[in-house]
Amino acid sequence: MSAGLAEGPITDGAALFAAYADAPNALGYCGPPDGIGTTDAEIRASARRFSGVWPYLQVLARLTGTADPLDARLVEAYWLGRDLGVDRAEFGRELLAVLGPRAGAYWTHLTPDLLSEAAADHGFHVFGVYPWSRLLTAGPQPLFVLDSCRIRWGSVVGLDPLTVSSPRLTWDGAALGLGEPTDGAVDGNGVALGDVVAVHWDRLVDVLTPDQVEVLAESTRDRLALTNRRLVAT
């Protein structure tokens, strides 16, 4: 069970979705304004109102032959970037067919040119679909949003207040990277010193296994490499 999640009759996949989606929803960035809910039915109804993550889970379910878009395996793969063997270009084409018609003038970059970066995960949405990586030269805000919105990992080094040491996103004017771990306050509880955790918008999401840390770190490095390739070319 994810740290800080309210108890209720919910499946593992719905619980995991709510844990990761709660912070941006509470900040008003995505999903229903009245919150995600605490029961399985409420979370499932809310998930369909996330215009970003829900299409990913729907397409991922179709391409993996999974009946439930909120299957825990799919939800974990989306948030952490676990490779489920889905063809990236095929996924990208199906995803853009859903997102493209909804996009306004601010999202004109959602074209087939983006398929080389496509992946069935949150990292692609943050760095590829969202426009922020294209605005890095405009000031500090885009880097702050990218670093806050991505799922990051870190070690718990303090409990009062909860403090996590985590590599933060860097921008040197030409390329994105990860700096040395730095300490920062995080909202949450229910963890122990030395736990390695996932953080989303400075909120504790879950305690990660060593395998999950490796998956998240690898998918993050892959995402930065793909994004930097585009940034260098433009």
Side-chain angles (χ1 to χ4, degrees):
M1 177 67 68
S2 298
L5 188 65
E7 294 182 357
I10 51 180
T11 62
D12 289 345
L16 196 62
F17 175 86
Y20 277 90
D22 184 58
N25 179 257
L27 291 169
Y29 296 148
C30 54
D34 50 347
I36 298 175
T38 58
T39 69
D40 194 75
E42 290 171 345
I43 294 170
R44 288 176 181 277
S46 297
R48 289 170 170 79
R49 299 174 66 184
F50 280 76
S51 59
V53 57
W54 186 246
Y56 282 78
L57 294 175
Q58 285 184 302
V59 175
L60 193 54
R62 285 200 298 271
L63 295 183
T64 58
T66 306
D68 182 9
L70 286 183
D71 182 279
R73 177 170 168 262
L74 303 189
V75 175
E76 189 235 30
Y78 171 78
W79 290 113
L80 299 186
R82 188 181 295 277
D83 185 359
L84 297 182
V86 171
D87 182 86
R88 287 188 171 199
E90 182 181 5
F91 176 87
R93 285 191 293 270
E94 289 207 24
L95 180 72
L96 293 184
V98 176
L99 296 182
R102 306 176 183 177
Y106 198 49
W107 303 79
T108 55
H109 57 278
L110 299 185
T111 71
D113 292 340
L114 198 58
L115 293 180
S116 62
E117 298 180 41
D121 59 53
H122 184 64
F124 174 55
H125 198 67
V126 172
F127 289 90
V129 173
Y130 280 156
W132 295 103
S133 66
R134 297 160 181 83
L135 303 172
L136 284 162
T137 59
Q141 185 67 10
L143 183 65
F144 168 79
V145 173
L146 290 171
D147 197 35
S148 300
C149 192
R150 73 182 179 96
I151 308 301
R152 59 183 171 92
W153 69 96
S155 299
V156 176
V157 295
L159 297 177
D160 188 18
L162 179 60
T163 305
V164 172
S165 179
S166 178
R168 305 307 297 261
L169 200 63
T170 63
W171 167 248
D172 65 4
L176 291 163
L178 289 176
E180 293 298 317
T182 58
D183 296 353
V186 170
D187 290 332
N189 54 61
V191 293
L193 289 174
D195 282 346
V196 180
V197 299
V199 177
H200 196 194
W201 284 101
D202 289 331
R203 181 175 295 186
L204 172 70
V205 175
D206 204 359
V207 177
L208 300 176
T209 67
D211 170 69
Q212 289 176 319
V213 175
E214 183 178 350
V215 167
L216 179 55
E218 182 178 351
S219 68
T220 300
R221 289 191 292 266
D222 179 59
R223 178 54 46 200
L224 294 182
L226 289 170
T227 305
N228 284 334
R229 188 182 305 167
R230 165 170 44 85
L231 295 175
V232 169
T234 57

